[in-house]
Amino acid sequence: TMDPKNQPIMKDVSYDIYQPFGPSVLKTKLPALYVHKINEISDTILSDDKKRKDLDWSDNLAGNIKYEVSFDHNKVKGLPEFFLAMAEQYLLKTLGKKRVPDDTAVGIRSWIVSQYAGDFNPMHIHDANLSGVIFLAMPPDFEEEYAREDHHPTAGCLEFIGSVANHFANHSYLVKPEVGDFYLFPSWLTHQVYPFRSKGERRSMAFNLHLSLKNTKGVDV
């Protein structure tokens, strides 16, 4: 309905706004016991030149990072089950699946990222179904550095990029690392890590989940 001046009369206009597209990111806290155990095992690897060389995983990754080493998640009791539990929750919220079926084949690959001043991870994706990151340690002066960046701080941050830049929706999600924070996301979601300047280590654990849902109906993962 138009008024005499050809302006819409809003009280007579009904509308809906949909947001039908875009990836979802799950965030939770990894229990401190797991964080401690992962760091304990990582310390033994990163402090040993031979172990670090034997487990070097950098040729398989995109990062310009000091150390990237393969990690056996099975050495942390309960950690693989935690990964799977979070995958179940992700599938529930995004696809409506109540649980990962018993006949699901699950492959997990995990690695430690030991990053120092100037290191960064360029935009990349992972070759899996779901991927995740857990923040394990931050440089002692990181908070001070972050606070100094008063205009759109990005030092040491993880950024997810979900679409091209536009005026009508967020195209990226910037994550400030906090020890214990756990993020799970679709492996095809582009992401990057910004460098920082503080002395000390920014440590995280990254992982891929390969899911093969054999007997499900609808959308398979």
Side-chain angles (χ1 to χ4, degrees):
T1 302
M2 304 293 288
D3 72 5
K5 295 182 181 180
N6 292 323
Q7 297 296 319
I9 300 174
M10 295 307 297
K11 68 179 181 180
D12 294 332
V13 177
S14 63
Y15 60 89
D16 294 303
I17 297 177
Y18 300 98
Q19 191 177 16
F21 308 112
S24 299
V25 176
L26 179 152
K27 178 185 178 183
T28 187
K29 275 285 187 183
L30 186 70
L33 182 64
Y34 289 147
V35 173
H36 174 75
K37 188 61 178 178
I38 296 170
N39 274 326
E40 186 177 64
I41 297 172
S42 299
D43 286 341
T44 65
I45 297 171
L46 294 170
S47 62
D48 187 308
D49 290 344
K50 186 177 185 305
K51 288 182 180 179
R52 212 170 50 229
K53 183 177 179 180
D54 290 344
L55 295 173
D56 180 62
W57 196 243
S58 58
D59 287 346
N60 301 283
L61 305 171
N64 189 331
I65 305 290
K66 190 173 182 67
Y67 301 125
E68 294 172 303
V69 295
S70 181
F71 185 91
D72 184 358
H73 45 271
N74 292 306
K75 289 186 175 180
V76 181
K77 185 178 180 181
L79 187 61
E81 290 78 11
F82 187 90
F83 288 169
L84 188 56
M86 290 300 101
E88 288 180 337
Q89 291 303 309
Y90 188 91
L91 293 175
L92 175 63
K93 298 299 183 183
T94 59
L95 301 181
K97 297 182 184 297
K98 293 184 178 179
R99 64 187 300 275
V100 176
D102 292 335
D103 63 353
T104 299
V106 181
I108 305 175
R109 163 65 71 177
S110 56
W111 61 97
I112 298 298
V113 179
S114 181
Q115 181 179 351
Y116 287 82
D119 291 353
F120 65 94
N121 228 325
M123 286 192 296
H124 64 286
I125 62 174
H126 292 194
D127 181 17
N129 300 116
L130 293 174
S131 296
V133 63
I134 306 161
F135 296 114
L136 301 171
M138 296 301 297
D141 296 328
F142 172 74
E143 290 294 337
E144 182 180 342
E145 176 185 352
Y146 186 86
R148 287 198 302 268
E149 293 193 345
D150 58 348
H151 179 69
H152 192 65
T154 58
C157 289
L158 166 66
E159 184 175 34
F160 298 103
I161 302 170
S163 70
V164 296
N166 65 88
H167 293 294
F168 304 109
N170 291 329
H171 71 284
S172 71
Y173 175 40
L174 193 66
V175 170
K176 179 188 175 187
E178 300 281 351
V179 172
D181 281 356
F182 175 113
Y183 291 88
L184 187 68
F185 53 93
S187 299
W188 52 260
L189 180 59
T190 302
H191 54 287
Q192 63 183 353
V193 175
Y194 288 91
F196 58 91
R197 305 173 186 84
S198 303
K199 292 183 179 180
E201 181 189 20
R202 176 195 186 276
R203 184 184 296 179
S204 61
M205 178 182 187
F207 61 90
N208 286 334
L209 296 179
H210 299 264
L211 306 177
S212 176
L213 306 186
K214 299 176 183 178
N215 296 324
T216 58
K217 296 179 180 180
V219 180
D220 285 341
V221 177

